[in-house]
Structures are given as structure tokens and as C-alpha cells.
Amino acid sequence: MIEFRGISKRYAAGQLALYNVNLKIQAGEMIFITGNSGAGKSTLLKLIALLERPSKGELLVGGTPLNKLSRHQVPAYRRRIGFIFQDPHLLYDRTVFENVAIPLLISGMGLVEIRRRVNAALDKVGLMHKAGSYPLMLSAGERQRVGIARAVVNRPTIILADEPTGNLDPALAQDIMYTFAQFNELGTTVLIASHDHMLVERMKKRIIVLQKVEE
Amino acid sequence: MAGNKPSRKPASSSGSTRRPPRRRPQPHQRSFSGWINQHKHAIRFSLKRLWFNPVSTWITLAAIAIALSLPASLSLLLTNMQTLTDDKREVPTITAFMKENISEQQTKDRAELLQELSEIANVQVVTRDQALADFKNITGFAETLETLDENPLPHVLILTPNLERLGDDKVLQAFADRLKSYPEIDSVQIDVEWIQRLRAILRIADHVVLVVAVLLGLTVLLVIGNTIRLDIENRKEEITVTRLIGATNSYIRRPFIYGGLWLGLFGGTFSLIIVNIALLFLVSPVQQLASLYGSNFTLSGVNPLMSLQILAVSALLGIIGAWLAVGRFLWRDEVVD
């Protein structure tokens, strides 16, 4: 499903984030990426979402080398990925419902279907009762869950989560992880970057540990 | 991954066994109904934006309406003046005023002689008594005229030239000069003269209106472009986020283009309202003036075709202005944090 072939990433500022990463992830797998901060966890996810381009090496997703995708194909590719950011990047002038609906609006879905899907996604993250609230009225954890609902509402093939439980208390963090596991059971490939070793160990999934590149 | 989006049926998980994702066509992407839905969302959203920023919306609309109503009313003025000249264009007449000491009989003799000329299609004699009577009827100067001891008006011949011989302005002028040389005739007036002069002025005015219209059209373009640009600046965050989620450039562009369209369309509508209100103020004084000149000229308003043209132009300006503003933004590099 996802294959890294000798991927290196050096940012314009000069720091080397990833060096010669070779990695194969099967479709429907759930994988944790751990490592100290600065080890390149975020970069690895961003490369898959095409938010960054590798400096070296080849990255294949679903058999397609990503460097072959043209500027025009990128949006359609991204719509098949649900990305959960460390900062959920919600739009503060829209309600929770409207925020979660954005990916579906982009896909051109009708309002009835949108309502059904958004409610389902909000239900999944336990925020049905907050549908009409604005992000500023929510706690950090609730905002993060809105971000998750938005990432999964379009039923992506791949879910990428960058520290999704960073702002959550342990019980809630566990809950969120189980939610991801549920999506995974339904066939979605899930990659989660997290530095919470305890939590990651408990999930009993494949774990990839990144180490900081020594130059 | 590169092909169709696999999808899963929710709540049909069969435990922990991993199943390959099932494939089915993407119903909501690239389909016509999806495209329609996207437009519906963009329309709804852009209208909502206008509605929720009332101050900036109204200021922009007012600027557009005023900028558009100026060339619109100028061209309306021109159209009206052109209809005024159109009335007489088909029947240019030459009026020959006889000398004061010429009798009615002499005038009629001259008329008969002129009738023989091939340049003349028709000759009409207006005696001084007839002229006085007409004058009284038309101008309402009856009482003033009563006070005069004798009729100050001369006999008049109204000549309709044969256009086949006197179609050209120069030939017409030469013929008028020839008429003048007759001993009975005091002065000759070609009543197309003032129309010709007016038409020449109107031609210049036409160009002036065009220049004004282009300049003010450009103003509208800039006003709308700038409004949209500010809107884009305010929604940068939103654009970044939707891009990360997979919005295409046309998806991002669409609500802004609609925003420009609404500004143009509503601005154009308001300019029509302004022009029509201004017309209401003008109708009765113009009619009064026209009646003083014995004309039944009435001010013609903005006809439906012209209204449509104004709306089409303003809408187009809105779309172009928005397009330029968004295009400039979209060409910038994608920013990812």
C-alpha cells in the first residue's frame, strides 16, 4: 500500500529529517511511528500526504510513485487520505458540523448525504451534542476529536495521524486509539505518529521507531 | 490507491480479520451532480458571506452602483438626444423668408416658379396671417401678440427638397445660396443645419461617454477585485486547510468568483435603481420644457435591453475582477506548515 524506497528528506533550512528510510506498509495495516521529537515522525506522514516532497528516494502509494502525480492530481489524491494534525486546523468561524462537512463539500456531496455522514462521524468521536458549537467553545481534546471526525468523514483509504492524542487525557487518548482501531478493522490503513510509548505498546500493533539522524 | 476509492460499509466488521478494501465507483467525484452540488454550495456560501459582512458589502455595492450609474445615465441622455434629432432627419426642409414688402401674390408666384425646379419636391406657402395664427396657437404668446399693431411676420415658403438631387449637404447648401439670390427672398434657413451640428456634437459626446464608461468600468473591476482580495486575505487559513484536505483550485476559486458575480450583479441592479430614480426627477421638467417648444418629446427611460446590458456588463466585470484577484493568489506557492 505504502512503500518508502530510500527516502531522505532535507528541509530548505538544512536540517536532515529523514535519512534513507525503507519501509513497506500493507493495505489495512495499523502502524505506530514513534521516536523522540525531531526524529522525523511528522515528516514521514507529511511525505505520504504530499504536504512535503522527498529530497531523495521514491515513495509509492497504492503502486503509484507520488512524484509522478501532477499538480492537478494532488487534490484528488489527498481526498483519499484523512490527515489528523497536531493542531487540528479547524475553521473558527464555522460550527463543528460545518468543519466536519468540509471534505464532503469538496467532494460535491448532496446536503442530505452530508448530514448523514457528518452525524455518523461526530457520533463516532462522541461529539454529536456539540454539532452546533463553535470550535472556540470546545476543549482542546474536543477540538482534536473534531479534527478526527473531519479526517474520517470522507471514509479515506489511509488515515495519517500526527500526535492525535497529544492534548488528551489518558482515558480519552485510549478511546481515540480504539476509534482508530475500529476504522482499521473496517479496512483502512492507519499510520499514527505518537511519542506516548505506553499507549502505543498497549495497542499491540506494528511499531516503527525513528531515530534522530546524527550528522 | 491510484484508481478508485475503496470504501467500507460501516458496522459490518467481521472481527479482527483484515479484508481487502472493496472497490466501487466514486459517486460524488467528477460526476455531474457532484459538480452541481459544489456550485450550489459555492452559491449558498458566497451569498452568506455577503450577508454576514453587511458594511463592507454595502459600501462596495454603493461604489459599484455609483460608478455604473454615471455612464449609464450619460448614455441614456445621449440616446434621448439622438431620438430628438432622429425625428427630423427624414424630412429636411428649407425655409425661405420673403422680404417684408413682398405681397402674398408675389410669394405665390415665386412658389409656382420654384415648384417647376427639379430640385424641389414640394412647396408650401405659409402666409403671414397663417404664421401668426400658428404662432399664437403654439407658444401661448397670444396676448402679447394681440398688443402688436401689425403682423411682424413675413410670408414664408417651406420647400421640401428632392433628395435625389439635393441629398448631399454641400449641394443643399449651394441650392440655399441660389435661393437667397432671388430678389423676393430675404433669408434662407436649412432646418437640418442645427440637427447636423447637434449630431456632430453628439458624436463627440458618444466618444466621451465611451471613455467615461471604460474608465468607470475599470473602477468597478478594481473595486470588486480589491474586495475579493481582502476577502481572500481574511480566509487564507480556510484556503490552506481546505487545500490540505484536498480541495482543487477550482473549488477554492468558485465561492470567490460567485462573490464577484453577486457584487457586480447587485451593484448593477442598484445602479439601475439610481438611474431610474434620477429619471423620475427629470420627467416632468423635461416634459414642461418640451411643451414650451411645442414638442411632444418624452424622456425615454432605461429600456429592458439596456437594463440587461448593464447587468451583463456589471456581472462580467465582477467575475473578471474576482478571477484576477483569486488567480493572483492561487499562483502563489502552496504553503504547508
Side-chain angles (χ1 to χ4, degrees), chain B residues 76-77 79-81 83 279 283 286 297-303:
Chain B
L76 196 61
L77 184 77
T79 324
N80 270 300
M81 296 189 78
T83 58
L279 269 176
V283 164
V286 165
F297 168 79
T298 48
L299 210 54
S300 59
V302 192
N303 60 36

Side-chain angles (χ1 to χ4, degrees), chain A residues 4 7-11 15-21 23 33-45 47 86 162-163 193-195 197 208-215:
Chain A
F4 284 69
I7 294 276
S8 297
K9 173 66 187 177
R10 187 186 286 281
Y11 283 100
Q15 78 271 32
L16 191 61
L18 291 174
Y19 179 72
N20 196 22
V21 176
L23 177 63
I33 299 157
T34 62
N36 295 327
S37 61
K41 301 188 294 286
S42 294
T43 305
L44 195 127
L45 295 183
L47 287 174
Q86 235 162 333
D162 191 359
E163 301 285 359
S194 174
H195 63 261
H197 290 288
I208 291 160
V209 183
L210 291 177
Q211 268 163 357
K212 204 173 162 83
V213 187
E214 304 295 340
E215 280 184 90

Side-chain angles (χ1 to χ4, degrees), chain B residues 2 20 38 43 46 64 81-82 87 133 135 150 158 167 199 207 224 246 249 280 289 299 324 329:
Chain B
Q38 287 182 333
I43 289 170
S46 55
I64 296 166
M81 296 189 78
Q82 268 150 4
D87 283 348
F135 195 44
E150 54 179 281
I158 295 173
R199 253 188 263 147
H207 287 101
I224 292 177
N249 275 353
L280 281 184
L289 185 69
L299 210 54
L324 291 176
F329 182 85

Side-chain angles (χ1 to χ4, degrees), chain A residues 1 27-30 46 50-52 61-64 71-72 74-81 83 85 89-91 93-94 98 102-111 113-114 117 150 154-158 183-188 205, chain B residues 1-19 21 24 26-30 33-35 37-38 41 44-45 48-49 235 237-239 241-249 251 330-334 336-337:
Chain A
M1 186 63 169
E29 220 177 330
M30 180 162 175
K46 279 181 179 173
L50 270 179
L51 300 178
E52 296 286 355
V61 175
T64 314
R71 224 183 128 111
H72 287 293
V74 171
Y77 167 74
R78 277 197 195 142
R79 283 200 288 274
R80 291 179 225 138
I81 292 177
F83 202 108
F85 304 87
H89 284 291
L90 302 180
L91 300 178
D93 59 342
R94 316 253 187 120
E98 287 167 333
I102 294 171
L104 305 180
L105 290 173
I106 293 174
S107 303
M109 209 173 273
L111 280 185
E113 179 73 0
I114 287 179
R117 289 237 204 155
R150 188 184 63 191
N154 213 6
R155 297 179 192 157
T157 358
I158 302 173
F183 282 113
N184 175 243
E185 276 171 18
L186 296 175
T188 314
K205 301 280 182 185
Chain B
M1 193 63 226
N4 290 335
K5 182 177 78 172
S7 76
R8 295 151 300 282
K9 290 217 176 78
S12 65
S13 161
S14 54
S16 60
T17 51
R18 235 174 256 141
R19 288 172 294 117
R24 76 166 179 200
Q26 298 164 251
H28 294 291
Q29 285 169 21
R30 281 159 215 223
S33 76
W35 186 79
N37 277 332
Q38 287 182 333
H41 297 319
R44 206 175 303 129
F45 183 73
K48 218 165 104 185
R49 291 286 302 185
R235 287 160 62 187
E237 171 74 11
E238 180 185 332
I239 293 173
V241 171
T242 49
R243 254 198 181 157
L244 296 186
I245 297 172
T248 57
N249 275 353
Y251 178 85
L330 288 181
W331 274 112
R332 282 192 227 160
D333 275 341
E334 199 173 339
V336 176
D337 50 48

Side-chain angles (χ1 to χ4, degrees), chain A residues 35-211:
Chain A
N36 295 327
S37 61
K41 301 188 294 286
S42 294
T43 305
L44 195 127
L45 295 183
K46 279 181 179 173
L47 287 174
I48 298 171
L50 270 179
L51 300 178
E52 296 286 355
R53 298 271 187 175
S55 323
K56 216 197 246 169
E58 202 178 22
L59 178 53
L60 288 93
V61 175
T64 314
L66 291 191
N67 56 6
K68 292 270 158 52
L69 285 183
S70 74
R71 224 183 128 111
H72 287 293
Q73 292 170 302
V74 171
Y77 167 74
R78 277 197 195 142
R79 283 200 288 274
R80 291 179 225 138
I81 292 177
F83 202 108
I84 293 137
F85 304 87
Q86 235 162 333
D87 160 17
H89 284 291
L90 302 180
L91 300 178
Y92 287 90
D93 59 342
R94 316 253 187 120
T95 61
V96 166
F97 183 95
E98 287 167 333
N99 266 288
V100 176
I102 294 171
L104 305 180
L105 290 173
I106 293 174
S107 303
M109 209 173 273
L111 280 185
V112 177
E113 179 73 0
I114 287 179
R115 198 160 298 135
R116 204 176 62 71
R117 289 237 204 155
V118 170
N119 285 337
L122 284 175
D123 194 33
K124 198 128 224 154
V125 297
L127 283 177
M128 261 301 255
H129 58 295
K130 298 279 188 180
S133 308
Y134 285 88
L136 282 176
M137 300 149 75
L138 304 180
S139 69
E142 284 169 331
R143 273 181 227 164
Q144 188 60 270
R145 280 144 71 198
V146 175
I148 293 168
R150 188 184 63 191
V152 300
V153 75
N154 213 6
R155 297 179 192 157
T157 358
I158 302 173
I159 292 176
L160 306 173
D162 191 359
E163 301 285 359
T165 57
N167 296 319
L168 307 182
D169 61 73
L172 205 52
Q174 186 75 63
D175 259 14
I176 292 294
M177 285 303 176
Y178 281 127
T179 310
F180 282 131
Q182 276 176 17
F183 282 113
N184 175 243
E185 276 171 18
L186 296 175
T188 314
T189 310
V190 181
L191 270 83
I192 301 169
S194 174
H195 63 261
D196 188 342
H197 290 288
M198 302 269 286
L199 183 61
V200 167
E201 300 279 345
R202 224 173 307 150
M203 296 304 293
K204 305 214 180 334
K205 301 280 182 185
R206 183 145 81 110
I207 299 171
I208 291 160
V209 183
L210 291 177
Q211 268 163 357

Side-chain angles (χ1 to χ4, degrees), chain B residues 152-219:
Chain B
L153 301 172
H155 298 297
V156 172
L157 295 179
I158 295 173
L159 311 171
T160 310
N162 181 355
L163 284 180
E164 275 168 36
R165 298 288 310 271
L166 296 176
D168 185 60
D169 285 350
K170 274 188 197 139
V171 181
L172 192 66
Q173 190 59 51
F175 180 72
D177 292 342
R178 209 174 102 203
L179 284 179
K180 228 175 188 171
S181 64
Y182 289 118
E184 301 96 327
I185 293 177
D186 182 35
S187 68
V188 175
Q189 215 174 46
I190 306 173
D191 75 352
V192 288
E193 237 169 44
W194 70 274
I195 289 174
Q196 284 164 353
R197 284 184 199 141
L198 186 61
R199 253 188 263 147
I201 293 171
L202 288 181
R203 264 196 295 276
I204 296 171
D206 234 3
H207 287 101
V208 173
V209 169
L210 192 68
V211 170
V212 170
V214 168
L215 286 178
L216 287 170
L218 220 56
T219 311

